[in-house]
Amino acid sequence: MGINYLYQEYEVSRNMDRCINCRVCERQCANEVHSFDKDKNIMRSDDVNCVNCHRCVALCPTRALKIVKTDHTFKENANWRGSIINEIYKQAESGAVLLSSMGNPNNYPVYFDKILLNASQVTNPSIDPLREPMETKVFLGSKPKSIQRDKDGRLINNLSCGIELSVPIMFSAMSYGSISYNAHESLARAAKEAGILYNTGEGGLHKDFYQYGSNTIVQVASGRFGVYKDYLEAGAAIEIKMGQGAKPGIGGHLPGAKIVGDISKTRMVPEGSDAISPAPHHDIYSIEDLRQLVYSLKETTNYKKPVIVKIAAVHNVAAIASGIARSGADIIAIDGFRGGTGAAPTRIRDNVGIPIELALASVDQRLRDEGIRDNVSIVVGGSIRNSSDIVKAIALGADCVYIGTAALLALGCHLCRSCQTGKCNWGIATQSPELVKRLNPDIGFKRLVNLVGAWEHEIKEMMGGMGINSIESLKGNRLMLRGVGLSEKELQILGIKHAGE
Amino acid sequence: MKRVYVNEQWCLGCHLCEYYCAFANSNETDMVKALKDIVIHPRIQIEQKDNISFAVSCRHCEEPLCVKGCITGALSINEGVISVDQNKCIGCFTCILCCPYGAISAGDESIIQKCELCTNNKHGSPHCVKGCPNNAIVFEER
């Protein structure tokens, strides 16, 4: 067995005065932390396996449990922090690349938290959304450059196909395989109920979910899993995934162990074989190549579906977006470096990409400068945490946002960042049937609808405060934003003034 | 009439319903005080084998065999709820033998006990349903 270099990160703290030995903690922990000692008639815990997912804490009927961070420590060192030392121990043991999941947790600046919103006082009236109409509906897609009329002067409808959303929110791409059937069903039903769209991710579309097609974005990624004509025609839009915020420049790998049953069928991958998404699309090495794929997808679907191109926010994102806006794509989706994932190499997740706020501001400005902003709509994701992040993103120039992590949180995710183990105690990032059933879509979809509805109310409140009654008037309205504690350069990139200016 | 129905598909076998039942029928206000250091005998019980589990409690049958079999009239139907009059019960346990679901048992403090949909305690509506984390048991009209 050798020497165990690692000490557990978390400790289960059980209040023995409150524990009634109901054993729900034991029954609900897939990591087998809890056990019942029959001889002593008490519950015990083996903290080594605890991932801090709070399943036991949330289900304990007497609130006898809490999870605490261990105070076991190395000799303090600002450079060689405990987490860094432990990673070296792990790699010295395994010889493997470190894997992580969900978004970059490191202490990089969150620009949304350094931007403040405006409100009306005296000289311009604010609007009460409970008493006056307030429009949050958005249309995504390329906008016509001119108004055309027929010989009698009537307007000719020259709108290209697009997406209509009741609120500027969509559920971002999470594949069937990375998340469970029940999680997918929850997202699909919630999208339909809330009048928005969810995204299949690159795992194909389960036959049960074709009925939600008008609320579905079908994704075409580098692995092309599950892509065929009916799939493309099933959705309301098609997304070409070039990159993902959590792991720009990196492909995906769903282990063969997870390619079973319906997942194998849906992905169109033989059971037991690994589903590997290459890092690049092997047929796309230029904007011209991308244009070919955009138009082959449009051709396949009779020019009835808008095409989204999703990229990760990287250093030269503005130039890339400019190319995409000329490629025939209708919508650009940009994913910031805090975006979530079911599994990514830790070093990539924590060190690659740029903040979505800066990427969005520079892309919007670049497209405006080049006079091609109306060619495309911009959707941003990568840690949109609440409705004020949405309002700020729209004022920075976005048309709509993608939420992934927030949606999973609504479904019960506690951000324990252990998706890669496949033992999600909340039934989200797992394919194990006894774990999957823990997420009842009847409950899950309602919680998602609640979240979107609550955010809609808040968006209206904030817009009303600014004296704006339509989300269209907020779009790119950077005068509604002020920065706090930001440098001249940061303000310049964000295109906003400092508070007090 | 509203009854407790089982959605077997969503039962996790967590047994919380049993503990909420035992608590509801303890007449204590604090769950810890009610259930600490005791072995519970709940009116709802989880049946479990391998990956299949579901909760079983009184179905409140429209033609209940327990009521039919009761020799003293201690069991009766009141607005659809089958309830026990402990003053009339003589402890012959015919009802326990009659019930095809095994939903009646000998009581801790009473002679027999069965689910009365929490109409006989201060909760008023089934506490097991409120405690179920996954809608595996629901209280509804069908």
Side-chain angles (χ1 to χ4, degrees), chain B residues 47-130:
Chain B
E47 296 289 335
Q48 202 164 8
K49 194 176 181 200
D50 302 329
N51 286 331
I52 298 170
S53 59
F54 51 86
V56 178
S57 60
C58 175
R59 308 284 86 214
H60 297 279
C61 308
E62 283 177 14
E63 290 181 27
L65 295 174
C66 58
V67 174
K68 220 179 226 178
C70 181
I71 59 172
T72 61
L75 284 166
S76 60
I77 311 178
N78 301 313
E79 292 173 10
V81 181
I82 298 167
S83 52
V84 194
D85 182 345
Q86 299 290 351
N87 293 324
K88 288 186 185 168
C89 179
I90 56 164
C92 69
F93 295 159
T94 307
C95 53
I96 297 181
L97 294 170
C98 288
C99 176
Y101 303 100
I104 307 179
S105 55
D108 289 329
E109 283 156 21
S110 53
I111 305 168
I112 61 155
Q113 63 172 21
K114 66 176 291 303
C115 166
E116 297 182 31
L117 300 176
C118 285
T119 52
N120 56 336
N121 60 46
K122 64 180 158 41
H123 293 278
S125 69
H127 209 48
C128 54
V129 172
K130 279 193 195 128

Side-chain angles (χ1 to χ4, degrees), chain A residues 12 24 45 50 54 57 80 101 116 121 148 172 220 252 254 262 280 283 299-300 318 320 322 341 370 426 447 466 469:
Chain A
V12 178
V24 69
S45 31
C50 178
H54 291 196
V57 174
W80 290 98
S101 36
L116 296 170
Q121 297 293 299
Q148 291 171 351
S172 49
V220 176
L254 194 69
D262 280 0
D283 52 355
E299 193 72 35
T300 312
I320 298 163
S322 165
T341 175
E370 294 181 357
W426 293 89
R447 290 178 61 84
M466 290 185 267
N469 65 3

Side-chain angles (χ1 to χ4, degrees), chain A residues 16 19 27 437-438 440-441, chain B residues 9-11 13 32 36 134:
Chain A
M16 287 311 214
C19 178
R27 293 186 177 107
K437 77 192 289 199
R438 293 184 184 183
N440 182 341
Chain B
Q9 187 190 0
W10 301 119
C11 179
V32 178
K36 181 82 185 151
N134 211 31

Side-chain angles (χ1 to χ4, degrees), chain A residues 40-214:
Chain A
K40 294 261 164 59
N41 196 35
I42 51 168
M43 294 302 303
R44 296 194 180 279
S45 31
D46 180 6
D47 304 339
V48 172
N49 297 323
C50 178
V51 296
N52 195 3
C53 76
H54 291 196
R55 180 73 183 178
C56 57
V57 174
L59 265 73
C60 176
T62 57
R63 302 210 163 272
L65 290 170
K66 63 178 175 179
I67 310 296
V68 294
K69 196 169 162 49
T70 181
D71 53 6
H72 172 70
T73 183
F74 290 98
K75 196 161 195 173
E76 286 208 1
N77 190 323
N79 181 35
W80 290 98
R81 297 183 297 276
S83 57
I84 293 174
I85 296 172
N86 278 333
E87 284 173 344
I88 288 179
Y89 288 155
K90 275 185 206 164
Q91 291 191 290
E93 177 83 27
S94 69
V97 170
L98 291 170
L99 281 184
S100 298
S101 36
M102 298 315 288
N104 184 341
N106 289 351
N107 189 23
Y108 293 102
V110 181
Y111 286 97
F112 283 132
D113 291 342
K114 298 182 176 192
I115 296 175
L116 296 170
L117 295 170
N118 194 23
S120 306
Q121 297 293 299
V122 185
T123 52
N124 50 348
S126 47
I127 302 167
D128 183 347
L130 296 175
R131 292 180 175 77
E132 293 176 66
M134 185 73 71
E135 189 60 81
T136 56
K137 190 180 279 190
V138 288
F139 297 89
L140 305 183
S142 60
K143 304 287 185 293
K145 296 202 172 42
S146 59
I147 292 170
Q148 291 171 351
R149 292 179 187 280
D150 64 16
K151 59 181 173 21
D152 302 320
R154 280 189 294 267
L155 278 175
I156 298 172
N157 181 356
N158 58 355
L159 279 169
S160 60
C161 57
I163 300 172
E164 183 183 330
L165 302 167
S166 65
V167 273
I169 300 171
M170 298 192 290
F171 298 134
S172 49
M174 291 173 275
S175 71
Y176 174 45
S178 77
I179 60 170
S180 65
Y181 177 95
N182 289 343
H184 249 234
E185 182 180 332
S186 304
L187 289 166
R189 283 167 60 185
K192 193 173 182 74
E193 177 83 11
I196 61 172
L197 266 57
Y198 84 107
N199 191 315
T200 61
E202 64 169 325
L205 182 60
H206 193 286
K207 58 180 173 11
D208 293 354
F209 302 143
Y210 274 71
Q211 55 176 312
Y212 305 106
S214 54

